[in-house]
Amino acid sequence: MTYAALYTKSNFSFLEGASHPDELVDQAHLHGLRSLAVCDRDGLYGMVRAHMKAQELGQHLIVGAEVTADSTRLVLLAQDRDGYRNLCRLLTKGRRRCEKGESAVSFEEVCGHAKGLVLLWNESLADEAEPSGGCLREAFGDRAYALLLRHRQASEVPRERRLRARAARFGLPLVAANEVLYHSPQRRPLQDVLTCIRHGVSLDQAGTRLKPNAEHDLKSSRAMERLFADEPLALARTIEVAERCTFSLAQIRYRYPAESVPSGLSSSEWLRELTWQGAHGRYGSEIPDEAKMQLEKELALIQELDYGGYFLTMHEIVRFCREKEILCQGRGSAANSIVCFCLGITAVDPMKMSLLFERFLSRERAEPPDIDLDIMHERREEVIQHVYDKYGRNRAAMVANLVRYRPRSAVRDVGKALGMAETTLDRAARVLDHYGGLPAEALEAAGLDSRIPQNELLLSLGGELLGFPRHLSIHPGGFLLGHEPVHDLVPIENATMENRTVIQWDKQDVEDLGLFKVDLLGLGALTLADLAFKLIERHRGKKLTMAGVCEKDDPKTYERICAADTIGVFQIESRAQMSMLPRLKPKEFYDLVVQVSIVRPGPISGGMVHPYL
């Protein structure tokens, strides 16, 4: 017999699970398990990572989540696209009504989102709580099961007796599982430390908060057969549940929101019209033939790939900024596009600079365009709130930024869980700034002998913890916009910052699923440029724009650049760039392109700089 692991939590059940999502998928594959359900607490934070690994291995991944409704833990598994949509909506509802990090839903709300979901009813967290099993049975029908959990703990005996009685009363069949918190028993000590960090206590103070044994690992079929030798039907039923859950993240069909266009025109036709209007604004009545050819080439590819709506969105945001006199400027590879130049998104003519469009967008790469819009930092919030107002909270949410453990934070949190002194941890944390990991010499440099058992434990557990998700923050300016409500794609929750909402996935997740992200980034240099423009206009009566100051080869400018007089000049103001300028002696724009490209960690460590000079 084989079984399906229906109740696993990754380290995206923040400070609870002790394995990465891909480690759980890997282990399930090694065990030869047919199916694995990742059910993190109140969220789908790690689901894309699990999905990508499952796709690579051909593993059946079940999308799910654990929610707590009226003191009862419930596991919900997405059976189909409707179920996934309902799961995202329910998680959004629970998160949006609470402060960051919290969630709360009721039985009635769970029942109201039952379509397409399989329910695994867990124990009540309060012994005296009487769950509304009848309500759940009525809402979920034959998709409701009672979750029979075993971890070889004496306290589970009366709990199981109570569960069986309630399951019989409400007509719920039993399904076997253990609550998986790590892929291997060796991670049990780390899970103990994570529990201490979550509750803000040391190991000596943790008491019953800690699991009493290492039975929360992802087990093989043979191990589960031994654990449920008296309940073979409950174990076999795991396969029945898994076979009902056919939804995959690969089934998500994302549509970018269509901008409002004049009656009778498609998005591509309206984009074409706006682009040609902008071309005449840039070049005058006579557009150069070379520019015409490039415009036709880019517009044809944008239409073929159905990216018109994205360009219209960026044009609309830029239009808003211009109306409100908020200085903005497209950065990065978008400057290689003459369409972006004509729409006013960028200020540099790619034809004059001989920039390669394919670096921005190509048919062969099959990647969506990525336009970063820099906005003067003092007024960026106005633009962000404009996007929320235009699309609504349901169709616009900011992308998350995943905060992971680094050496400094790992040694602090693990050390506190081990009961080590704050002064010792402060000293160690300062020293770790000079190391990329947690080697023994780092601790010794901080005055900690790595041979002492407590310090040895700090070293080993701190090194397991590196790269673990600590919490979510907010991306500097990335928005996910959807034609349908975003909360049908991914749960949305409140950010710490007032009036901000954020999805449960980060930039990499969004890119992995091929979703479009709009980046609105704050840049102090644009605030300074705006002040300079206003001063010039006030004293000389001359109105300047970003495009109007882009002289390609001004000699006096290059004299100051060669003298490294570039403090406050974006891209060439760092110490490394300033030290290179007098040696490279740039005389034209392309020299600066090379310099900005070569003064980076990769080329420097590869020994490219001196040969080039």
Side-chain angles (χ1 to χ4, degrees), residues 137 141-142 144-148 167-168 170-175 234 237 240:
R137 186 69 173 85
D142 67 352
Y145 299 82
L147 194 58
L148 183 59
F170 300 124
L172 301 177
L174 297 175
V175 62
R237 206 170 272 129
E240 172 192 317

Side-chain angles (χ1 to χ4, degrees), residues 38-58:
V38 174
C39 310
D40 283 319
R41 188 180 67 250
D42 298 315
L44 303 177
Y45 304 98
M47 196 57 67
V48 177
R49 290 162 174 79
H51 167 73
M52 299 304 289
K53 176 56 72 170
Q55 293 280 93
E56 177 188 325
L57 298 177

Side-chain angles (χ1 to χ4, degrees), residues 313-345:
T313 296
M314 298 308 298
H315 173 265
E316 193 281 328
I317 294 171
V318 169
R319 179 201 56 77
F320 170 81
C321 290
R322 298 262 156 75
E323 283 182 0
K324 301 296 183 182
E325 296 187 342
I326 301 172
L327 194 60
C328 66
Q329 166 72 51
R331 79 152 77 158
S333 61
N336 296 36
S337 165
I338 193 171
V339 168
C340 289
F341 177 61
C342 292
L343 291 175
I345 297 168

